[in-house]
Amino acid sequence: MTGVAIRTVRGADDLNAVRQLCWDYRDVLVARTTDFPRLLNHYYSIAVYQKLMDDLPGRHIPPDGEIFVAEMIGKVVACGMTHRIDAETCEIKRVFVAPEARGNGIAQQLCQNAMEWAKAADYQRMVLDTMRSLPEAMALYEGLGFVPAEPYYDIPDDLLRDIVFYEHPL
């Protein structure tokens, strides 16, 4: 992983790069979930996602959360963010690596940094969700020691078949 630096967001340029990565992530989800329009409309409609991007960093700021980026050759090529669920639990969201930067272990390092940050922030547990249509994400999280968990937010029953929940003690 030569030439890759993981760090926290440092300003407007970083936030704009994170927003673009998040839109690219959404594009991947849309491409992989064409059979599940209700899931897409529920969580990833353009209006819902635009509001999420407009509100970034929102709840992903210290002391309750953080936004991490990976920089390679002076360019932000990956992101991941955390936020508070409750006093003991934080969630990691939107871990995404641009196609040109994949294969360098960046997603794993982003997650490890997020876990270290969460532990230092006195969280006891990290949770996440991912889609079954993202087997590489499932493999990443399981490789980091995350184990399947019950949903930690309300979700319509018909969407449960498409989303996997994980947790990891910190």
Side-chain angles (χ1 to χ4, degrees):
M1 195 165 47
T2 307
V4 175
I6 306 293
R7 60 177 176 77
T8 57
V9 166
R10 292 187 184 145
D13 289 343
D14 282 353
L15 279 176
N16 288 334
V18 168
R19 285 183 180 105
Q20 183 58 57
L21 287 164
C22 287
W23 280 107
D24 294 345
Y25 170 71
R26 182 190 176 276
D27 290 345
V28 168
L29 294 176
V30 169
R32 293 200 187 176
T33 56
T34 56
D35 294 338
F36 314 112
R38 183 160 165 6
L39 178 70
L40 293 176
N41 290 334
H42 190 79
Y43 292 112
Y44 296 101
S45 72
I46 290 177
V48 167
Y49 214 71
Q50 184 63 58
K51 181 169 179 11
L52 187 68
M53 292 300 103
D54 290 346
D55 292 343
L56 203 64
R59 59 188 186 165
H60 305 291
I61 57 173
D64 294 332
E66 188 64 84
I67 300 175
F68 298 91
V69 295
E71 186 175 346
M72 188 165 61
I73 313 171
K75 179 183 177 191
V76 172
V77 295
C79 66
M81 51 202 79
T82 61
H83 71 99
R84 177 186 175 101
I85 297 291
D86 60 40
E88 295 183 355
T89 308
C90 74
E91 180 181 28
I92 188 165
K93 297 294 289 181
R94 288 177 288 289
V95 175
F96 183 76
V97 179
E100 68 271 16
R102 292 182 187 152
N104 291 295
I106 295 171
Q108 180 178 357
Q109 191 171 351
L110 276 169
C111 291
Q112 289 170 329
N113 279 33
M115 292 167 73
E116 289 168 12
W117 175 89
K119 188 172 183 175
D122 291 327
Y123 289 111
Q124 305 301 309
R125 177 176 79 129
M126 181 170 274
V127 296
L128 62 90
D129 66 11
T130 193
M131 292 188 175
R132 292 188 193 279
S133 61
L134 297 174
E136 65 272 37
M138 293 171 62
L140 167 71
Y141 300 131
E142 290 170 7
L144 287 165
F146 282 83
V147 296
E150 293 297 315
Y152 51 90
Y153 58 83
D154 291 333
I155 181 171
D157 288 342
D158 64 322
L159 300 182
L160 276 173
R161 68 171 193 206
D162 305 315
I163 299 177
V164 182
F165 294 86
Y166 288 99
E167 67 181 358
H168 193 295
L170 298 172

